[in-house]
Amino acid sequence: MKVDKDLIEKVASLARLNLTESEIKKFLPQLKDILESFSKIDKADTKGAKPSFQPVELKNRLREDRKGKCLTQEEALSNTEHKKDGYFKGPRAV
Amino acid sequence: MSTTDFIKQVQNKEIDVVEHTHKVLEEIKKINKEYNYFNTISEELALEQAKSVKKNPKGRLAGLPVSVKDCIVVKGVESRAGSKILSGYKPVFDATVIEKVKAEGAIIIGKTAQDEFGFGGFSVNVGVGMKIPLNPFDKNRACGGSSGGAAGIAQKISFPHIAIGESTGGSIVNPASFCGVVGLCPTYGRVSRYGLMDYANSLDKIGAIGKTVEETAMMLSVISGFDEKDSTSINKPAENYENVVGKIVKNMKIGVIKESLEEGTDKEIKSDIIKAVKGFEELGVKHEEISLPLTMKYGVEAYYLTAMSETSTNLAKFCGMRYGKHEKLEGGFNQYFSKVRSANFGEEAKRRVIIGTFARMAGFRDAYYIKAAQVRTKIIEEYKKAFKKVDCLVSPTMPVVAPKFSEIKKLTPLQNYMMDILTVGPNLAGLPHVTVPCGIKDGMPVGLMLVGNHLMEGKLLQLAAAYEQK
């Protein structure tokens, strides 16, 4: 796999980040260095091992569907600068 | 005065909590000017709580000043997780741990400094425009991280106090070790994460930092327990951990992690650990050498791939819409989100989001993200095998003492990550771990780390307290 400017720009755009030229210049050798080192885990013997996405075994837990306390509309909107008619106002969708 | 005595005196109305809280606030403001341990000091809330505790001085933490890592939400107090992207965010609810400590009469004094979202081991990766906390022993050195402000204030404050910290890959024990205090990170799921801003949700744990093992045990007793609001919360009731202090540890057995004393660990630190093991011997604790080859070889890689992958999704919610930093609403969705994120995430946050996004991308996912999760299984198995032989594992907490800022500047990001070699293992495996001071090198504290099996906080604290009191 080639870690180059095109790849970084593609990944950054998927992550919704605009990188400046100087950020790309700085990140490129660092990311090469990091990914090369991380590739080492390829050599780890994991034959037959299931992946762990949690460290402690957990079962799906469901609760009874009941009415509980929740935020008021006013509270939910209290931290936004962009609201209209009791809703969050987002950027243009189309 | 010990924290226990202080709380008793508050309960008996021998201390005026309002007056005391004023004194504490004065002191932390003064310390903060010099050391930058707080992102926000919650004076108004603290005094309001003090007044109510004065009227009704009940509760297991009555009148006790408690600091809170910035990434844990406190209702009405700016909570930024050390990031500019959360500037101005005043949560409309309390995290479960905050609800619990408030109910026990604790006084919330402020939000402590950290690496942005927890992204670092030295608290130098603070958010854009934020200040770096300085080591209480030497202002030219780092506090450690990411709960750097928490450990710094725990050491520097002259009043009884306990800090609430958070660890993803070592962020409680690392700074506690560098600042010469005690840090306790519980089993994954033992303490509710509700109201904690995720760094990596399968790794994040809330814990405590204090001057003594007893203080951390006291805090854990209050904050642990099942919480319906956290889907990964362990369904076991809270325990009382305070009575472990002073219990006999004779005939317990510790395992010394072989690889932790090999190359890479400072020689003086190694001899401090050997001395500590001898100390345990004098307490009647047996020991043997334990090897964790896989954990020590692949732990850092498995940890960072997992943590960064999770981070890249967890940070997606910060986009200038509902809270925190906003920009002028212009352009389409992606343009707007990218603009807010690019301007307000710090450098390390961007680096980690990019690597994490890459590790989950089609074509690379199996080789990085899934492989790391498989290695994680093997690491958990390796620890479980060790705990069949011993009650607890010991090693240095960090392979070095707190480095100077001038030394940190010379490290590449990869060299930075490698410093976490001793702490990522227990964090990946979700095991409880604690650090206690065990020596001094160049005037800087050295920490001894003890790691226990899942939910064995009691035994872990018992051993740590026995060593501390020796």
Side-chain angles (χ1 to χ4, degrees), chain A residues 13 16-18 91-92, chain B residues 331-340:
Chain A
S13 127
R16 306 290 179 256
L17 289 170
N18 307 323
R92 189 164 50 76
Chain B
F333 264 88
N334 289 339
Q335 270 172 299
Y336 177 75
F337 295 160
S338 303
K339 182 170 70 179
V340 175

Side-chain angles (χ1 to χ4, degrees), chain B residues 54-97:
Chain B
K54 188 179 173 177
K55 271 187 224 143
N56 183 18
K58 285 186 193 142
R60 290 186 283 169
L61 302 176
L64 181 73
V66 166
S67 62
V68 181
K69 189 175 180 180
D70 203 10
C71 58
I72 299 165
V73 304
V74 177
K75 190 176 175 178
V77 177
E78 190 181 36
S79 297
R80 289 177 281 178
S83 181
K84 188 185 177 190
I85 207 160
L86 280 160
S87 298
Y89 171 49
K90 288 195 174 168
V92 289
F93 67 104
D94 275 324
T96 296
V97 292

Side-chain angles (χ1 to χ4, degrees), chain A residues 15-16 18 23 26 30 39-41 44-46 49-50 52-54 61 66 79-82, chain B residues 90 188 202 228 230-231 233 297 321 326-327 334 341-342 347 350-351 368 371 373-374 377-378:
Chain A
R16 306 290 179 256
N18 307 323
E23 278 174 326
K26 189 171 188 182
Q30 293 173 342
S39 298
K40 195 176 100 184
I41 62 157
D45 180 13
T46 52
K50 281 187 189 157
S52 288
F53 299 108
Q54 305 283 347
R61 211 168 32 230
R66 57 172 192 266
N79 272 289
T80 187
E81 286 175 18
H82 304 312
Chain B
K90 288 195 174 168
Y188 178 82
S202 87
E228 191 182 77
D230 172 3
S231 62
S233 171
K297 196 167 180 188
M321 280 271 297
H326 294 68
E327 302 280 341
N334 289 339
R341 291 161 63 81
S342 307
E347 190 181 300
K350 289 180 187 172
R351 201 179 283 119
Y368 290 103
K371 182 77 182 183
Q374 286 175 305
T377 303
K378 291 293 223 182

Side-chain angles (χ1 to χ4, degrees), chain B residues 66-345:
Chain B
V66 166
S67 62
V68 181
K69 189 175 180 180
D70 203 10
C71 58
I72 299 165
V73 304
V74 177
K75 190 176 175 178
V77 177
E78 190 181 36
S79 297
R80 289 177 281 178
S83 181
K84 188 185 177 190
I85 207 160
L86 280 160
S87 298
Y89 171 49
K90 288 195 174 168
V92 289
F93 67 104
D94 275 324
T96 296
V97 292
I98 301 303
E99 263 180 16
K100 287 187 173 197
V101 297
K102 277 184 175 175
E104 294 293 347
I107 312 283
I108 310 289
I109 56 172
K111 308 296 305 291
T112 50
Q114 59 168 98
D115 289 288
E116 183 173 16
F117 295 110
F119 300 153
F122 302 119
S123 294
V124 296
N125 297 330
V126 294
V128 178
M130 298 173 98
K131 285 182 182 161
I132 294 171
L134 314 177
N135 193 290
F137 288 83
D138 177 353
K139 282 192 249 175
N140 294 312
R141 292 177 189 260
C143 272
S146 64
S147 310
I153 193 64
Q155 175 59 259
K156 200 77 195 164
I157 197 167
S158 70
F159 297 100
H161 152 266
I162 305 177
I164 299 179
E166 176 275 340
S167 172
T168 306
S171 285
I172 289 176
V173 291
N174 157 335
S177 159
F178 282 169
C179 293
V181 286
V182 178
L184 167 67
C185 176
T187 306
Y188 178 82
R190 193 72 190 97
V191 174
S192 168
R193 291 185 295 109
Y194 181 72
L196 166 69
M197 300 181 210
D198 303 304
Y199 158 4
N201 49 285
S202 87
L203 291 152
D204 299 340
K205 294 141 316 255
I206 295 176
I209 299 177
K211 283 197 176 86
T212 63
V213 173
E214 190 180 21
E215 287 174 347
T216 61
M218 194 185 281
M219 182 54 85
L220 184 65
S221 306
V222 171
I223 62 176
S224 60
F226 176 67
D227 182 14
E228 191 182 77
K229 292 180 195 148
D230 172 3
S231 62
T232 57
S233 171
I234 294 177
N235 200 352
K236 290 241 164 71
E239 280 177 54
N240 188 344
Y241 298 101
E242 287 162 69
N243 54 15
V244 301
V245 178
K247 264 200 182 168
I248 292 176
V249 290
K250 204 175 159 189
N251 291 329
M252 285 174 88
K253 195 173 189 185
I254 54 170
V256 184
I257 302 174
K258 179 175 165 259
E259 293 84 356
S260 76
L261 299 179
E262 289 171 353
E263 52 173 334
T265 294
D266 183 284
K267 281 204 181 84
E268 285 178 54
I269 292 179
K270 180 183 166 177
S271 71
D272 281 337
I273 302 304
I274 293 170
K275 249 186 262 166
V277 172
K278 288 218 175 84
F280 275 116
E281 214 174 79
E282 286 161 27
L283 291 164
V285 176
K286 293 175 205 150
H287 62 88
E288 72 171 271
E289 195 178 70
I290 295 278
S291 176
L292 300 174
L294 194 94
T295 305
M296 299 305 284
K297 196 167 180 188
Y298 300 112
V300 171
E301 290 77 11
Y303 166 74
Y304 274 98
L305 283 166
T306 307
M308 289 171 172
S309 296
E310 290 183 17
T311 262
S312 64
T313 67
N314 284 326
L315 262 55
K317 59 179 162 284
F318 302 114
C319 59
M321 280 271 297
R322 287 151 300 168
Y323 39 72
K325 200 84 179 135
H326 294 68
E327 302 280 341
K328 203 175 159 204
L329 269 188
E330 274 175 346
F333 264 88
N334 289 339
Q335 270 172 299
Y336 177 75
F337 295 160
S338 303
K339 182 170 70 179
V340 175
R341 291 161 63 81
S342 307
N344 298 294
F345 278 148

